[in-house]
Structure formats: structure tokens, C-alpha cells
Amino acid sequence: MPAGYEFFEHTADAGAVVRGATLPRLFEHAACALFDLVCDRRTVRPRRAVRIAVEGSSLEDLLVRWLSELLYRLETEGILFSSFKVERVDRLRFRARGTARGEPIDRARHQLRREIKAVTYHQIRLVRGRSAWRVRIVFDV
């Protein structure tokens, strides 16, 4: 799993198992998985930085909100993201903040792979292993 995640088969949706040595890395890898489903991130230039700050009621909720905010920016502002830097994940207050970098969709350069309708809570469980955090997450396509 060199990219920090791997996709798995799901009946009608798309799923990923994501790992990170730290919670910020796990959040970054989850964002990479989301946008690798949407497009070829290698074609997206990190021209624009967007600050993201979210709050949740649990770590799982926080991750879903982080990814949902990125998806919201894609849907409302037409921005594809290619890189992510999560500065902090507060495990006690369930807050996360970071920066996503990307650019507006350019139909001449960006080939969109699939539409992600939502990030789901279906069977989501974020756990800490001996050497890494791990989560299994399903995207509604």
C-alpha cells in the first residue's frame, strides 16, 4: 500500500482501506483516495491553496466531514485537489485543519473518472494499530 490506501470492491459504491502513521497522514491519504477516484491527480496542478477546518463528534465523523468538505469544494467551486497537508487533528475536541491544493477543473486536461455523491458512514471504523491508524471507508458513487 505505497500510496497509503488501497481500494476494495463494493457492491454499488467505491471503498478504500486507508492507513497513516499518524492521524494527519491518515486524513491526507483518505483525501488522496477520494480524488484518485474522481480524477488522475497527476494532471492537477497545485496552483490554489484552500484552507479546510472541520469539527466532528467522533474521529470517524471528523474524517467524513473532512472528506465531505473537500467534495463540497469540488461540487460548488469546481476545484480538483492533488495534494493535502493536514496540520492538526485534535483527538479530544474532534477538530481538524489543513490545506488542500489544486486547481479549477479544465476539461481539456482533466479527465474525470467518476462522480462521488457522498462520503458515507457505512461500516466506518477508525482504529489505531501497533504502527498505524487504519480506516475502511465507503464512497457513494
Side-chain angles (χ1 to χ4, degrees):
M1 189 187 315
Y5 66 87
E6 59 188 19
F7 294 116
F8 63 85
E9 295 292 323
H10 193 274
T11 315
D13 296 317
V17 174
V18 182
R19 289 193 173 97
T22 63
L23 278 173
R25 296 303 82 77
L26 179 129
F27 276 53
E28 291 168 3
H29 294 161
C32 289
L34 170 61
F35 277 88
D36 280 342
L37 286 169
V38 171
C39 66
D40 182 348
R41 282 188 306 117
R42 296 174 299 183
T43 65
V44 179
R45 300 174 188 149
R47 292 182 163 172
R48 182 173 166 190
V50 176
R51 299 278 305 152
I52 307 286
V54 293
E55 296 181 13
S57 60
S58 66
L59 285 177
E60 290 85 356
D61 184 47
L62 188 61
L63 179 61
V64 169
R65 288 175 185 256
W66 162 256
L67 296 171
S68 295
E69 180 66 22
L70 294 169
L71 194 56
Y72 173 78
R73 299 295 180 108
L74 168 62
E75 293 170 356
T76 61
E77 300 172 23
I79 301 173
L80 289 171
F81 295 109
S82 58
S83 65
F84 310 90
K85 178 68 179 167
V86 175
E87 298 151 8
R88 181 172 168 81
V89 176
D90 186 330
R91 294 168 46 191
L92 300 176
R93 296 182 178 156
F94 304 120
R95 295 179 180 167
R97 68 173 188 253
T99 304
R101 294 185 181 275
E103 65 178 335
I105 296 172
D106 178 345
R107 300 272 180 202
R109 286 189 307 107
H110 301 134
Q111 184 173 9
L112 300 183
R113 292 177 171 159
R114 64 171 61 175
E115 178 185 0
I116 304 296
K117 296 177 187 169
V119 182
T120 77
Y121 290 89
H122 180 67
Q123 297 181 337
I124 188 170
R125 185 163 176 248
L126 202 159
V127 295
R128 184 178 189 174
R130 278 191 236 164
S131 62
W133 290 85
R134 179 181 179 274
V135 68
R136 179 180 164 99
I137 192 161
V138 174
F139 303 101
D140 182 14
V141 296

